[in-house]
Amino acid sequence: MKQGGRGKGQGAKIKEKAKKIKLLILDVDGVMTDGGIILDNNGNEFKRFHVRDGHGIKMAQRVGIIIAFLTGRESNVVSRRASELGVTDIFQGRKEKIISYRELLNRYNLKDEEVAFIGDDVIDIPIMRCAGLSIAVSDAEEDVIKIADWVTKRAGGRGAVREAIEFILKSQGKWKELMEKYNNNKT
């Protein structure tokens, strides 16, 4: 099992992949949220985001990792959350996500091996097959879990993004430096 980075001889190989990551692309529904979509009678849409995922995104940005949101749905809530987190690469309403994936690689002059993607459903498989590090949340569809390099312990919308970011930053040797800033700040 690949969960939490544990696997038969896979740990070192996965960490090597994580060391190369410069861009982290996140699916939204089912990854940043628990996949539930709440609609009220007035046409408002509600999504629940985990605060630690947001903090993890900010931490990754502090050490130079680019974050992008890529979702098949369109929602003002996603735009608002991206704005709050300083994420400027937002692709919504993208059913063929691989086109946006290639656009991001071109925009930042990156190679597949420099990209990580976190997904949960079969629409994410084409990108997961290309990305240097493919990650599935623990409650992802079985077909997604089968092809993922790494599977989080946490479910989508329950801190899975933060878990994946911590794994990447620890693999890159950047986590300890970030923690020193928190541990040494006594105000």
Side-chain angles (χ1 to χ4, degrees):
M1 189 70 168
K2 307 169 193 176
Q3 193 161 23
R6 289 174 284 173
K8 298 175 186 169
Q10 294 291 319
K13 186 177 179 181
I14 305 293
K15 285 182 181 180
E16 284 304 311
K17 288 183 170 199
K19 284 181 182 179
K20 299 175 184 175
I21 300 307
K22 296 179 180 179
L23 168 64
L24 174 60
I25 304 172
L26 305 170
D27 179 30
V28 177
D29 295 309
V31 172
M32 292 193 59
T33 73
D34 64 7
I37 299 168
I38 302 167
L39 303 171
D40 72 9
N41 290 332
N42 298 319
N44 296 309
E45 182 173 328
F46 301 90
K47 296 179 188 284
R48 181 179 176 272
F49 297 95
H50 200 294
V51 69
R52 283 186 295 224
D53 288 344
H55 191 171
I57 287 168
K58 296 303 288 180
M59 295 167 85
Q61 291 168 325
R62 280 187 207 123
V63 298
I65 293 177
I66 303 161
I67 304 292
F69 293 173
L70 176 51
T71 179
R73 292 180 46 83
E74 286 202 43
S75 171
N76 291 333
V77 176
V78 173
S79 297
R80 178 176 173 192
R81 187 64 176 147
S83 177
E84 290 173 352
L85 296 172
V87 174
T88 56
D89 293 300
I90 313 154
F91 297 86
Q92 296 195 66
R94 305 298 172 99
K95 302 301 182 207
E96 292 185 43
K97 294 181 177 185
I98 196 72
I99 295 168
S100 301
Y101 171 83
R102 292 285 174 220
E103 185 179 325
L104 280 164
L105 266 64
N106 288 334
R107 180 178 297 169
Y108 293 106
N109 196 30
L110 296 173
K111 299 174 185 161
D112 289 328
E113 59 265 18
E114 297 173 307
V115 180
F117 179 80
I118 307 177
D120 73 310
D121 207 347
V122 295
I123 193 172
D124 301 322
I125 289 175
I127 292 178
M128 293 179 79
R129 291 198 183 280
C130 292
L133 178 62
S134 62
I135 302 170
V137 295
S138 66
D139 59 336
E141 290 297 318
E142 190 60 34
D143 288 324
V144 173
I145 289 173
K146 284 179 187 175
I147 66 154
D149 292 315
W150 195 74
V151 180
T152 65
K153 292 179 185 176
R154 296 184 181 134
R158 302 284 184 194
V161 171
R162 170 68 172 267
E163 180 185 343
I165 288 171
E166 283 187 28
F167 173 72
I168 292 167
L169 297 182
K170 286 176 181 176
S171 297
Q172 293 181 351
K174 296 176 180 176
W175 184 256
K176 194 173 185 179
E177 179 185 333
L178 278 169
M179 288 301 95
E180 286 176 12
K181 291 178 182 177
Y182 289 97
N183 291 327
N184 292 329
N185 188 353
K186 299 185 182 186
T187 58

